[in-house]
Amino acid sequence: MGVFSDLVAGTDGDTRAALQQVFDRALAIVPDAVEDLSYGTPALRHRGRPLVGVRVGATHLSLFPFSPEVVTAVAPELAGFSLSKGTIRFTGEHPLPVEVLDRIIRLRAAEIEQKG
């Protein structure tokens, strides 16, 4: 296990399901991603760069795609979610739609590939 999967294992219920979805989808799309910390956040890395990270807050979960451009690209599909430059906030009761989560992961992976 690693820091990301440890975070998932340390939660339960809807929170655990929402975090597990992020973890599972990221590894399905980028199977060579590895667990690590990025800016102190449990994350998956691809080619040494942060792919996505997550945090559990008191009132929400945060997804970090480590790219303001990715957040901007998917913002129209995330009505009802709280967004900032580099963060997408959601809850276990209101998880990210799978198709949008997949798009976030694919866009970020493509950025990493383009940067070499």
Side-chain angles (χ1 to χ4, degrees):
M1 295 186 68
V3 291
F4 199 121
S5 54
D6 287 347
L7 175 68
V8 173
T11 62
D12 55 8
D14 291 338
T15 296
R16 185 177 192 157
L19 293 173
Q20 188 70 55
Q21 177 177 278
V22 172
F23 186 75
D24 292 346
R25 297 307 308 150
L27 289 178
I29 294 166
V30 185
D32 66 336
V34 295
E35 295 184 59
D36 199 3
L37 288 173
S38 184
Y39 303 100
T41 299
L44 291 169
R45 287 185 178 274
H46 175 54
R47 296 187 180 236
R49 294 198 168 135
L51 177 67
V52 291
V54 291
R55 272 205 187 138
V56 177
T59 61
H60 64 273
L61 307 171
S62 297
L63 176 74
F64 302 97
F66 301 103
S67 168
E69 293 80 14
V70 170
V71 175
T72 299
V74 299
E77 301 167 66
L78 291 172
F81 289 90
S82 173
L83 310 175
S84 64
K85 183 177 177 181
T87 309
I88 301 167
R89 292 171 200 85
F90 61 106
T91 65
E93 296 80 22
H94 193 210
L96 296 171
V98 172
E99 59 278 355
V100 179
L101 178 58
D102 286 358
R103 187 161 177 246
I104 291 165
I105 296 162
R106 285 187 178 102
L107 287 169
R108 180 62 183 143
E111 281 183 347
I112 292 168
E113 294 293 333
Q114 288 175 353
K115 293 178 182 177

